[in-house]
Amino acid sequence: MPSIIQLLPDHVANQIAAGEVVQRPASVVKELLENAVDAGANDIKLIIKDAGKSLVQVIDNGKGMSVTDARMCFERHATSKIRQAEDLFSLHTKGFRGEALASIAAIAHVEMKTKQDQEELGTHIVIEGSKFVSQDVAVLPKGTSFGVKNLFFNIPARRNFLKSDTVEYRHIIDEFQRVALAHPKIYFTFFHNGSEMFNLPPSSLRQRIVNVFSGKTNEKLVPVNEETEIVNIQGFVCKPEFAKKNRGEQFFFVNDRFIKSGYLHHAVMAAYDGLLKDGAQPSYFIYLQVPPNTIDINIHPTKTEIKFDDESALYAILRASIKHSLGQFNVAPVLDFERDANLDTPYHYKDLEGATPTIQVDGSFNPFSEEEKPNKHFTNTNSSYRRPEPTSNWESLYVGLKQDSEEIDTMTFENETVTSSLFNNDEVEQAVHKTYQIHKKYIVNPIKSGMIIVDQQRAHQRILYEQFLTNITVHLASSQQLLFPLHLYFSNDEMQLISELKPSLTNTGFVFEETNDDSVVISGLPVNVSESEASIVLEQLLSDLHNGIPESSFSQNDTIAKSMARSLAVKTGTYLTEKEQENLVNGLFACKDPNVSPFQKPTFITMRVEDLDKKFAL
């Protein structure tokens, strides 16, 4: 038989590798930013167009590459980071596999300009789909500039899998924030479609977190610091009262590399045990420094998962250090039965000096004097005390009252109640109990052919979804004015998204009194949104727009309506009165499409009498 195993051509192998390394424009951003950090740059610029679909460019002032290195870096498994397999356990760089640039060059138009500091001229290389188009000598500044255009130009199917610009842009921001937070000493700038989104000068760790998110973040942060033989922990956790519904601001860094770890996240949640509401997620920025030989990074293509040698010890140390910080800064309540809270000095009295009390003496006071004369020498102007006038006996209070009274017997009262009715008693039918709630989850409603069983949460989602969609697209919704305006704080990129959504949110009933760089002032809310739910609804909406709701949405308005319906719908486990049950059932069947929820899940099922008869058949 002829041999059937063949070596794949390089351009095919590179495209296969690209499927693991480059999943979306954000993957390109991550790889190029990490390369710039590894090159020793202290000033990095990221330029994006059309959410990375048209252009991703990273410019750094690192050490640059020689002519040979510039050509070699696009070959598969060509890297300057490691030399042998043992180096995988002593990594001090972000990259090490040598696959990223070859994979990117296989599916995009790449233009690279690089120059070393000691050289007079640099190298300009253009590659399109793994094919070298040109390599020239050019006059360039020190460092490297990578431009990646027309991503997935030769794989249209992969390009069609990309989400909307809003979703892809949010993923790029995530990757940018992860690298920027890991390296506060590097100057980062970020431009999107010509507008400056971030300008992050070198700063301390706390200041970098505040610059990336918002100025309001500063008051939320509680420092965490712990040094042990196994791990050094530093960073910040947020106070429990600032916990959010989504998990957006949760960052773990191991040796300045962003990672995801459900195990370590559980340690943080254990430290917050008893301090958070149900479903609330605390924000945290935890930086772990461990010996490189105790971790294995090479277990996942994206390098965001790490295998630790002693995970259980790391769990215990992390949990204890966060719990200690929360208690140390009086965030967590401490039970001390021997402490008298009445002896605590209030904060506003802490730095005040005690004043000498003044003493007033009435020199003419004589306790043995029988005459009670008003004291002319001692007066207290601040006192409102008045001596009561002496009164005679109690009987004098009733002198002069009218003594005559009417005889009660002569008075007549109406002793029969006269009521009128529009209908005769025999025509009034007793109200029939039509709906029943089962396990605080389903509503059963009898019909002629049997009964229908309604899922109360999905039904309410359908009702609210159609209401919000109608309000956004057809006419303005009514809103309830707040007695005191509501101040809500968001990060910089969230504020940009809210500015884009502002017209649609106004149509649903939100009234924005003021919009600042890091906060909004809301003076009116939709009728079915309470004041306490406003921040939850907006956070859930931003999270849905960031992640992209799984089902395809026709437009941004559709996404807003779905997100708000999901946030405000009555939850499973909520008791409904009979009137609320009837309104829910009637509202569902008044919808245009009552059969499914906005997320294409069935809202009710029908059980016929015949089906029940079959169940009881022998």
Side-chain angles (χ1 to χ4, degrees):
M1 288 182 63
S3 301
I4 58 174
I5 296 178
Q6 299 178 4
L7 280 174
L8 288 175
D10 284 344
H11 68 278
V12 177
N14 287 342
Q15 288 191 10
I16 294 172
E20 292 184 347
V21 178
V22 184
Q23 300 165 355
R24 54 182 3 130
S27 307
V28 177
V29 171
K30 172 182 179 294
E31 298 293 345
L32 296 184
L33 286 177
E34 289 182 348
N35 280 348
V37 172
D38 287 341
N42 57 17
D43 187 349
I44 300 175
K45 293 181 177 64
L46 172 62
I47 301 170
I48 300 293
K49 286 186 180 178
D50 299 331
K53 297 174 184 176
S54 298
L55 172 68
V56 175
Q57 186 173 10
V58 173
I59 304 171
D60 66 68
N61 64 346
K63 54 190 176 185
M65 288 181 277
S66 66
V67 178
T68 306
D69 287 345
R71 185 68 181 258
M72 183 69 74
C73 71
F74 291 101
E75 299 296 328
R76 287 196 73 198
H77 307 302
T79 179
S80 62
K81 315 294 174 62
I82 62 174
R83 290 286 181 267
Q84 53 194 4
E86 288 75 15
D87 294 342
L88 289 172
F89 296 97
S90 59
L91 287 173
H92 298 280
T93 58
K94 297 285 186 287
F96 52 84
R97 293 200 189 107
E99 283 187 323
L101 295 183
S103 301
I104 293 170
I107 54 172
H109 295 166
V110 176
E111 183 178 11
M112 185 186 75
K113 300 175 181 177
T114 183
K115 173 184 169 296
Q116 293 179 316
D117 193 21
Q118 67 274 15
E119 299 291 333
E120 293 184 1
L121 297 173
T123 307
H124 179 199
I125 293 178
V126 177
I127 300 177
E128 295 180 359
S130 293
K131 296 179 182 177
F132 275 85
V133 176
S134 64
Q135 178 174 346
D136 302 313
V137 177
V139 178
L140 301 168
K142 174 200 171 188
T144 305
S145 169
F146 259 101
V148 179
K149 302 177 183 177
N150 306 324
L151 197 64
F152 300 127
F153 78 99
N154 52 354
I155 313 177
R158 291 287 302 279
R159 192 177 181 90
N160 292 336
F161 277 114
L162 296 179
K163 301 289 180 63
S164 66
D165 283 2
T166 304
V167 175
E168 296 298 339
Y169 173 63
R170 288 290 309 174
H171 282 288
I172 290 173
I173 285 182
D174 282 349
E175 295 294 349
F176 175 79
Q177 288 177 348
R178 291 166 183 174
V179 178
L181 289 171
H183 302 279
K185 300 302 181 184
I186 299 178
Y187 198 131
F188 285 95
T189 48
F190 177 19
F191 298 88
H192 181 230
N193 290 340
S195 302
E196 185 179 81
M197 298 291 106
F198 290 93
N199 190 330
L200 308 175
S203 60
S204 65
L205 183 57
R206 187 179 193 124
Q207 188 61 45
R208 173 56 59 90
I209 294 171
V210 171
N211 289 341
V212 168
F213 293 98
S214 65
K216 193 71 176 177
T217 309
N218 191 36
E219 67 184 54
K220 305 177 186 178
L221 299 178
V222 175
V224 177
N225 205 336
E226 191 71 38
E227 293 187 8
T228 67
E229 295 179 357
I230 300 174
V231 60
N232 291 339
I233 301 174
Q234 63 171 333
F236 300 91
V237 295
C238 282
K239 298 174 183 176
E241 60 265 29
F242 296 105
K244 297 185 175 184
K245 283 290 182 183
N246 58 2
R247 299 176 60 172
E249 296 177 10
Q250 296 180 345
F251 296 88
F252 279 116
F253 298 94
V254 175
N255 297 353
D256 294 333
R257 180 192 300 277
F258 173 80
I259 67 157
K260 296 177 181 177
S261 173
Y263 190 66
L264 296 182
H265 172 74
H266 191 275
V268 177
M269 296 302 291
Y272 277 92
D273 189 27
L275 299 176
L276 298 174
K277 299 177 183 177
D278 288 342
Q281 293 287 337
S283 300
Y284 53 78
F285 309 87
I286 306 295
Y287 294 76
L288 310 175
Q289 290 292 332
V290 298
N293 61 347
T294 63
I295 57 174
D296 185 5
I297 302 168
N298 194 25
I299 62 173
H300 194 274
T302 58
K303 292 174 279 193
T304 55
E305 295 181 13
I306 289 182
K307 178 66 178 172
F308 296 94
D309 270 3
D310 194 351
E311 282 190 329
S312 58
L314 203 61
Y315 181 100
I317 294 170
L318 181 61
R319 177 178 174 273
S321 60
I322 293 175
K323 210 171 186 66
H324 173 70
S325 294
L326 292 174
Q328 186 179 11
F329 288 88
N330 292 328
V331 174
V334 179
L335 291 177
D336 185 357
F337 296 104
E338 297 180 358
R339 171 177 159 273
D340 186 359
N342 295 323
L343 299 179
D344 289 348
T345 303
Y347 287 119
H348 54 282
Y349 285 118
K350 185 176 64 172
D351 300 324
L352 293 180
E353 296 182 359
T356 305
T358 57
I359 302 175
Q360 293 179 334
V361 179
D362 181 10
S364 63
F365 175 68
N366 184 2
F368 303 103
S369 176
E370 296 180 357
E371 298 180 1
E372 294 185 3
K373 297 179 181 180
N375 187 4
K376 296 180 181 178
H377 301 286
F378 179 74
T379 58
N380 187 0
T381 56
N382 295 328
S383 176
S384 60
Y385 174 74
R386 296 289 183 268
R387 185 187 299 276
E389 296 294 333
T391 58
S392 53
N393 57 2
W394 62 272
E395 294 177 350
S396 64
L397 295 173
Y398 297 95
V399 175
L401 291 179
K402 190 175 180 180
Q403 298 294 327
D404 57 312
S405 59
E406 297 182 4
E407 293 293 334
I408 296 179
D409 296 339
T410 61
M411 300 179 66
T412 60
F413 296 95
E414 185 178 342
N415 55 5
E416 291 185 3
T417 56
V418 180
T419 57
S420 60
S421 176
L422 295 174
F423 305 100
N424 295 329
N425 290 334
D426 55 350
E427 294 180 359
V428 178
E429 296 182 0
Q430 295 296 323
V432 180
H433 192 74
K434 290 186 176 180
T435 57
Y436 306 88
Q437 190 180 27
I438 300 176
H439 295 299
K440 297 181 183 178
K441 184 176 183 180
Y442 300 109
I443 298 172
V444 178
N445 189 35
I447 55 176
K448 287 184 179 180
S449 61
M451 63 179 176
I452 59 170
I453 303 173
V454 179
D455 185 312
Q456 65 185 36
Q457 184 173 0
R458 293 179 184 176
H460 200 206
Q461 285 179 353
R462 165 54 62 178
I463 296 168
L464 292 176
Y465 167 71
E466 294 199 2
Q467 283 180 2
F468 286 128
L469 203 57
T470 303
N471 292 337
I472 294 173
T473 55
V474 180
H475 56 79
L476 293 175
S478 57
S479 65
Q480 51 185 351
Q481 297 301 306
L482 298 176
L483 185 60
F484 300 103
L486 197 60
H487 290 256
L488 300 177
Y489 294 87
F490 298 96
S491 61
N492 297 331
D493 50 303
E494 287 175 339
M495 282 303 305
Q496 184 191 3
L497 199 53
I498 286 178
S499 299
E500 296 176 8
L501 302 175
K502 193 174 177 182
S504 299
L505 291 174
T506 302
N507 290 343
T508 62
F510 284 94
V511 179
F512 293 91
E513 188 175 298
E514 190 178 338
T515 304
N516 303 316
D517 292 338
D518 61 349
S519 65
V520 292
V521 181
I522 297 175
S523 59
L525 295 172
V527 176
N528 47 1
V529 179
S530 65
E531 188 173 346
S532 60
E533 292 175 326
S535 61
I536 298 173
V537 169
L538 290 177
E539 284 177 14
Q540 184 65 50
L541 175 60
L542 294 173
S543 175
D544 287 340
L545 286 168
H546 173 206
N547 300 320
I549 291 184
E551 289 73 18
S552 59
S553 297
F554 298 108
S555 64
Q556 196 176 68
N557 293 337
D558 192 53
T559 305
I560 293 172
K562 284 181 178 177
S563 178
M564 292 181 66
R566 178 161 58 184
S567 300
L568 297 171
V570 61
K571 301 296 185 288
T572 297
T574 305
Y575 171 74
L576 300 179
T577 64
E578 181 186 346
K579 192 68 177 174
E580 289 171 337
Q581 296 170 29
E582 291 181 5
N583 288 341
L584 193 65
V585 173
N586 294 335
L588 175 64
F589 290 102
C591 292
K592 295 179 180 177
D593 188 6
N595 298 314
V596 293
S597 73
F599 305 99
Q600 306 305 312
K601 302 286 180 63
T603 55
F604 68 91
I605 60 171
T606 304
M607 290 195 71
R608 299 178 303 163
V609 177
E610 292 84 351
D611 298 332
L612 293 174
D613 291 340
K614 290 177 182 177
K615 298 286 185 184
F616 289 98
L618 296 176

